[in-house]
Amino acid sequence: MGRRVLGAIAVGREVLLVAALDVTGNPHLSGRTVAAAHRPGAWRVLALDLADPDRRSPDLADPYTTTAPELRWNPDPDRLLTDGDRVVVATTREGLGHLTTGTVGPAPAPDDGPADPGPSAGARRSPLPRPTGPAS
C-alpha cells in the first residue's frame, strides 16, 4: 500500500494531514463509494488521481516531476473506488494509521447523517469538515 504525506496543517491542537494513498487492497477504501469511504473525524477523500497508474507521478508533491497529476477534486460521492485508484485524503494522524495498516477504525457515518449534538464533555472536535449533501 503506497503512501505519501503531501502536507500537514495545524488546526488548534490537532494536525490535519493531506496524503496520497493507493486504494488497492485497502479495506477502508477499495470497493466503497467516495461517500461510503468517508469517516467523520478521521478521514475524507478530497481528490481522485485520474492518471493511468503506469503514468502516475510517484510523488504528487514534487514540483519538478515531468508528469503532471490528473486530479479530480471533490469527486462524485457515488464514484466507486477500485483497486488501481489513488486518492488524496485529508486525515488525522490516527486516521492515517488506520488507512495505512488496514485496521478497524472509526465506524462509518449513517447514510442520512445524525444531527450534530455539539461538543460533549471530554470530546474533541474534529479538524475535518462535515460533508455536505449534493446540491439541490
Side-chain angles (χ1 to χ4, degrees):
M1 213 178 323
R3 171 188 85 194
R4 177 75 60 179
V5 174
L6 304 173
I9 304 164
V11 180
R13 299 176 113 187
E14 300 289 328
V15 175
L16 182 65
L17 302 172
V18 178
L21 296 164
D22 292 323
V23 171
T24 302
N26 190 313
H28 299 295
L29 302 172
S30 185
R32 298 177 186 261
T33 63
V34 169
H38 174 71
R39 296 293 180 269
W43 63 80
R44 181 180 184 150
V45 175
L46 299 177
L48 179 64
D49 191 344
L50 299 176
D52 184 298
D54 297 333
R55 294 188 9 235
R56 285 187 187 146
S57 169
D59 185 354
L60 290 175
D62 182 3
Y64 301 107
T65 186
T66 57
T67 308
E70 298 175 34
L71 297 176
R72 160 101 15 103
W73 293 97
N74 197 23
D76 182 349
D78 296 325
R79 167 49 158 86
L80 186 65
L81 300 174
T82 59
D83 288 352
D85 286 344
R86 179 166 64 176
V87 294
V88 176
V89 297
T91 181
T92 61
R93 287 182 287 190
E94 182 179 1
L96 185 60
H98 291 300
L99 283 167
T100 57
T101 62
T103 59
V104 176
D111 290 339
D112 56 355
D116 185 4
S120 59
R124 296 185 306 193
R125 297 200 77 182
S126 168
L128 296 174
R130 292 188 63 98
T132 58
S136 300

